[in-house]
């Protein structure tokens, strides 16, 4: 499967995107179809779609955030000043179309996501990627995408981080 990455715009047809195989994923489908463009216009998040031809195989949304130093794993703080918060990029949504599961689309998207964040990191700083993971996705973020658990959010989801290493 040949994939390309594109920032979501009104020309992208999201109607065939379905994310319903796992419990709690229907809101991911709804976000892409109903809220993503509006959030982008309001500068709340930016959504990127993975396309195979014109078909949306997956997407992720990114927003600026910060993470409290006291919730980070000790090895993630090594060499950093003792600030109260560190700048981060929040992965607000991350979803793969039902028909594209188990084909490497999620890993492909995460590789592109990290590249985008590292490129933008030359303009505005971010030391970490973070995500609030639902129970059913924890092992994927931990084992496949190399995120580390930090703490439970107020919504009860596990906040996980991945330290960004910016090469000059």
């Amino acid at each position: 499967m040949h994939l390309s990455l594109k920032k979501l715009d009104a020309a992208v047809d999201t109607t065939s995107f379905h994310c319903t195989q796992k419990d709690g994923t229907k809101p991911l489908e709804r976000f892409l179809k109903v809220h993503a463009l509006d959030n982008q216009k309001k500068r709340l998040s930016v959504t990127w779609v993975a396309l195979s031809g014109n078909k949306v195989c997956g997407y992720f949304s990114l927003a600026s955030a910060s993470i409290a130093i006291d919730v980070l794993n000790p090895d993630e703080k090594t060499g950093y000043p003792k600030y109260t918060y560190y700048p981060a990029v929040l992965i607000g949504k991350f979803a793969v179309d039902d028909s594209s599961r188990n084909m490497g689309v999620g890993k492909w998207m995460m590789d592109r996501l990290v590249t985008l964040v590292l490129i933008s990191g030359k303009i505005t700083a971010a030391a970490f990627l973070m995500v609030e993971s639902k129970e059913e996705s924890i092992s994927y973020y931990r084992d496949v995408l190399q995120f580390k658990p930090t703490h439970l959010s107020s919504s009860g989801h596990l906040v996980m981080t991945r330290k960004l290493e910016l090469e000059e």
Side-chain angles (χ1 to χ4, degrees):
M1 172 184 315
H2 175 74
L3 295 172
S4 62
L5 188 67
K6 177 182 175 158
K7 184 176 165 185
L8 181 66
D9 62 31
V12 174
D13 180 7
T14 61
T15 57
S16 66
F17 183 84
H18 297 289
C19 185
T20 59
Q21 288 186 347
K22 297 192 312 190
D23 287 342
T25 56
K26 193 69 171 171
L28 293 171
E29 182 178 322
R30 180 172 161 67
F31 176 83
L32 179 63
K33 293 178 177 180
V34 178
H35 301 294
L37 276 175
D38 186 54
N39 276 14
Q40 216 161 261
K41 289 175 188 170
K42 293 176 180 170
R43 302 188 53 80
L44 298 172
S45 64
V46 175
T47 298
W48 295 84
V49 291
L51 299 168
S52 177
N54 291 327
K55 179 181 174 14
V56 176
C57 296
Y59 79 93
F60 57 86
S61 65
L62 302 175
S64 297
S66 62
I67 182 96
I69 187 175
D70 60 347
V71 302
L72 292 171
N73 296 296
D75 63 312
E76 292 180 313
K77 300 182 239 184
T78 303
Y80 281 79
K82 292 181 177 22
Y83 296 149
T84 306
Y85 294 93
Y86 292 138
V89 172
L90 174 67
I91 302 169
K93 307 288 185 214
F94 191 94
V96 175
D97 183 79
D98 291 342
S99 67
S100 299
R101 290 196 189 286
N102 302 313
M103 299 173 81
V105 174
K107 178 82 170 86
W108 184 91
M109 288 193 314
M110 184 56 65
D111 290 346
R112 278 29 181 213
L113 183 158
V114 169
T115 299
L116 285 172
V117 171
L118 290 176
I119 290 168
S120 70
K122 293 180 180 190
I123 298 167
T124 185
F128 293 89
L129 282 176
M130 60 188 279
V131 64
E132 289 188 27
S133 180
K134 294 180 179 178
E135 183 70 32
E136 60 271 11
S137 300
I138 290 172
S139 63
Y140 181 72
Y141 281 108
R142 183 189 60 229
D143 302 337
V144 177
L145 302 178
Q146 304 167 341
F147 280 70
K148 294 180 181 180
T150 60
H151 66 287
L152 289 178
S153 69
S154 58
S155 64
H157 297 131
L158 182 63
V159 176
M160 303 179 79
T161 60
R162 180 172 163 180
K163 190 174 183 180
L164 292 167
E165 301 295 336
L166 182 59
E167 300 283 329
E168 289 296 324

